[in-house]
Amino acid sequence: MTKLHAVTRGDRANPAILFVHALGTDHRFWNEAIDGLKDDYFCIAPDLQAAGGGTPNPAQPVKAEEHAADLAELLDSLDISRAVIVGCAVGGMVAATVAATYPEKAAALVMTNPGTGNADAVKGMLRARVDEVRAHGMKVLLPGAPERSFHGMPKDHRYDTYVERYAAQDPEAYALTVLGFLDIDIKPILPKLQCPLLLIPGGNDTLMPKDGAEAVAALAPKAEIIRFEEVAHFVPFQAPEQFVAALKRFITQKAIW
């Protein structure tokens, strides 16, 4: 296990939320959402291995199970026995792995832009990205990669912030992150989930399967779906106010502490 760098906000006495960022982002992905949650919850936003920040880069690609072990250890180090676990896209798959592997730690699970794994076409695209980034640096993915993630969304301050952070990543760390998640498949663990589950797909998300939420819900007990029709691949980042409202409602009604 690797000791993760994490930012915490809010009162430690409040119920805890553990946030798992999306591929190609870091803990800052959650800043705006946490602004709307910190008064009521103890918010924990780590950097996964290879995501930068204060977390060291790994020597080789890191699988979802290893990330889950890191996150469970983080909760233990903070003396948090139970938390709502929230993740976006591939980060949602890692969050599901935490909840299934360490069920005693999961008061509830939220997966935005959900799916069970990478489609073959996406795997091909990601492999090509790894080769391009290793040869030419992160700039080779601009502006195409951010534009796909923001399909149908305005190129506003959030888009500009995302592009700036995306371009600043260490190319080899990004390559290792992609390779670690390339063959992720959470279908076998979904029936093991014991906690309530909220799925929030984005209607403009072209990177996750259109039926990704339904595929998860078909295998996971206690799942509900709320679709954000006007949002793309990063629901919590692209629509933080709407996301916070849905998350608060779900936690209040469904979380098992």
Side-chain angles (χ1 to χ4, degrees), residues 93 115-119 184-187 208-209:
M93 299 181 207
T116 60
N118 291 314
I184 189 170
D185 179 7
I186 64 169
K187 290 191 293 294
M208 299 301 285

Coordinates of all heavy atoms in Angstrom, one line a residue, residues 93 115-119 184-187 208-209:
M93 N -15.3 3.4 -10.6 CA -15.0 2.0 -10.6 C -14.1 1.6 -9.4 O -14.3 0.6 -8.8 CB -14.4 1.5 -11.9 CG -15.3 1.7 -13.1 SD -14.5 1.2 -14.7 CE -15.3 2.2 -15.9
G115 N -19.7 3.0 -15.4 CA -19.6 2.0 -16.4 C -19.0 0.8 -15.7 O -18.5 0.9 -14.5
T116 N -18.9 -0.3 -16.3 CA -18.3 -1.5 -15.7 C -16.9 -1.8 -16.2 O -16.2 -2.6 -15.6 CB -19.1 -2.8 -16.1 OG1 -19.2 -2.9 -17.5 CG2 -20.5 -2.6 -15.5
G117 N -16.4 -1.1 -17.2 CA -15.1 -1.2 -17.8 C -14.9 -0.4 -19.0 O -15.9 0.3 -19.4
N118 N -13.8 -0.5 -19.7 CA -13.6 0.3 -20.9 C -14.0 -0.5 -22.1 O -13.6 -1.7 -22.2 CB -12.1 0.6 -21.0 CG -11.6 1.6 -20.0 OD1 -12.3 2.7 -19.8 ND2 -10.5 1.4 -19.3
A119 N -14.8 0.1 -23.0 CA -15.1 -0.6 -24.2 C -13.9 -0.8 -25.1 O -12.9 -0.1 -24.9 CB -16.2 0.3 -25.0
I184 N -9.7 -2.6 -16.7 CA -10.5 -2.7 -15.5 C -11.9 -3.3 -15.8 O -12.4 -3.0 -16.9 CB -10.7 -1.3 -14.9 CG1 -11.4 -1.4 -13.5 CG2 -11.4 -0.3 -15.8 CD1 -11.3 -0.1 -12.7
D185 N -12.4 -4.1 -14.9 CA -13.7 -4.8 -15.1 C -14.3 -5.0 -13.8 O -13.8 -5.9 -13.0 CB -13.5 -6.1 -15.9 CG -14.8 -6.8 -16.1 OD1 -15.9 -6.3 -15.8 OD2 -14.8 -8.0 -16.6
I186 N -15.3 -4.3 -13.4 CA -15.9 -4.4 -12.1 C -17.2 -5.3 -12.1 O -17.8 -5.4 -11.0 CB -16.2 -3.0 -11.5 CG1 -17.3 -2.3 -12.3 CG2 -14.9 -2.2 -11.4 CD1 -17.8 -1.1 -11.6
K187 N -17.5 -5.9 -13.2 CA -18.7 -6.7 -13.2 C -18.7 -7.8 -12.1 O -19.7 -8.0 -11.5 CB -18.9 -7.3 -14.6 CG -19.3 -6.3 -15.7 CD -19.7 -7.0 -17.0 CE -18.6 -7.7 -17.7 NZ -17.6 -6.8 -18.2
M208 N -18.2 7.1 -22.0 CA -18.7 6.0 -21.3 C -19.9 5.4 -22.1 O -20.6 6.2 -22.8 CB -19.2 6.3 -19.9 CG -18.0 6.8 -19.0 SD -16.7 5.6 -18.8 CE -17.4 4.5 -17.7
P209 N -20.2 4.1 -22.0 CA -21.3 3.6 -22.8 C -22.6 4.2 -22.4 O -22.8 4.6 -21.2 CB -21.3 2.1 -22.4 CG -19.9 1.8 -21.9 CD -19.5 3.1 -21.3

